[in-house]
Amino acid sequence: MDEEQVGTPSLGGEVGTSTRWKGPNGDQWSSAGRRLARWREDSRNADQRLEEIAADHLSTLHETLRADRSAFGLYDTACAAGERLAGALGALGALAAAGAESEDALVARLVSEVGGDGGTLADAAVRRGMAAAVRDVRSRHPELDDAMGGGAGGGFTWDILCDLYQVFFADMVGEFLRSVVAEHVKLAAPVLIAADPESRIADWVAEKVADLVPNPCEESAEATDLAQGVDTAQSVVDALQDPSAALPKIAELLVPRAVGKVLGLITEEITGEEGAAA
């Protein structure tokens, strides 16, 4: 497992770097782990059952955080990382357009700036989530390779940056649960190791929650339409139509909603109204 080695925390506790984390405690986590231990890749409906196990882990994480928002330090760490990512969006586009750094250097810079150098499991999940988000966005946007290389017309377009923002929060949750599942796999070894269920579960979780994250570009477009539809000063409309000025700020303002949604702290009822879970 290529995760960082961290200590064994109680819920919400800080962790050190001297011992390996053994996973979260509690009956629901243990139940999810036992279900994974019984899973076999060659069994009937194996893919469907693995998705159900992934859903179990995601649901357990959400319920844990609803009971204690400080659990694992995940909420505060994700919010701080999201704010750093929002602040980096404009600079990232300028660097890519100028071709001032290599592709690897840009990725390393982004992971470092957003993830920081903290030693908690949440910090590690943020760093791996940022790297995974870059990989996922590159698969969606083949033109990103030229942009990161500073080629002709290089630079990140804002739709790419907004996708990166959305995917980051989803991948961060997936990477956190990858660490949890990896510990469960160790207990079930050697049967599950070859099947690599932690990667498949992380990917499923990230895909499941990605659509919950608000998109800064879409929010900016809605704000612009609203500003144009009322008696609004032209300077305000112009500011909203300038992505380099408006989108990083909008992205920052959206961070609490993005984190709340992917961590299950904000839910949408059937009526469409949002409410913070108790």
Side-chain angles (χ1 to χ4, degrees), residues 2-233:
D2 59 353
E3 69 184 77
E4 300 175 36
Q5 300 298 299
V6 293
T8 306
S10 59
L11 288 185
E14 291 296 322
V15 296
T17 56
S18 58
T19 58
R20 181 174 60 77
W21 187 64
K22 296 187 175 78
N25 300 315
D27 291 342
Q28 288 179 294
W29 290 107
S30 297
S31 177
R34 287 193 296 270
R35 190 172 186 186
L36 177 65
R38 294 192 296 269
W39 178 80
R40 296 294 181 268
E41 187 177 23
D42 57 356
S43 64
R44 183 179 179 182
N45 300 322
D47 290 342
Q48 179 181 340
R49 291 188 62 196
L50 192 62
E51 289 184 1
E52 293 170 354
I53 291 168
D56 280 349
H57 281 80
L58 180 60
S59 175
T60 300
L61 176 64
H62 285 173
E63 292 184 25
T64 299
L65 287 162
R66 287 170 188 161
D68 178 7
R69 181 173 294 199
S70 68
F72 316 116
L74 192 58
Y75 178 81
D76 287 343
T77 299
C79 284
E83 291 173 359
R84 292 193 294 269
L85 174 59
L89 291 180
L92 181 64
L95 282 171
E101 296 187 15
S102 68
E103 174 182 326
D104 290 342
L106 278 171
V107 174
R109 173 193 285 267
L110 190 58
V111 171
S112 176
E113 289 186 1
V114 174
D117 57 2
T120 70
L121 183 70
D123 291 317
V126 164
R127 287 190 287 271
R128 291 199 304 271
M130 191 72 259
V134 173
R135 180 187 66 241
D136 291 344
V137 171
R138 287 178 68 183
S139 69
R140 295 186 187 185
H141 297 276
E143 72 274 17
L144 184 56
D145 288 334
D146 289 336
M148 295 181 73
F156 295 99
T157 60
W158 278 102
D159 64 318
I160 292 177
L161 291 172
C162 288
D163 278 355
L164 182 66
Y165 179 91
Q166 276 193 296
V167 172
F168 161 69
F169 291 103
D171 278 333
M172 180 269 300
V173 175
E175 290 301 320
F176 179 85
L177 286 175
R178 181 199 296 269
S179 297
V180 174
V181 173
E183 293 307 320
H184 293 164
V185 167
K186 283 184 172 63
L187 297 176
V191 177
L192 297 180
I193 290 179
D196 193 23
E198 60 265 45
S199 294
R200 294 167 64 182
I201 287 176
D203 291 344
W204 183 90
V205 167
E207 183 177 354
K208 188 71 173 179
V209 302
D211 288 341
L212 300 177
V213 182
N215 184 298
C217 292
E218 294 175 0
E219 297 284 337
S220 176
E222 291 178 7
T224 300
D225 290 343
L226 178 62
Q228 290 175 330
V230 298
D231 186 13
T232 305

Side-chain angles (χ1 to χ4, degrees), residues 83 85-90 158 165 216 220 239-240 242-256:
E83 291 173 359
L85 174 59
L89 291 180
W158 278 102
Y165 179 91
S220 176
L240 287 170
D242 178 8
S244 63
L247 281 172
K249 183 61 177 177
I250 291 173
E252 181 180 359
L253 292 173
L254 291 173
V255 166

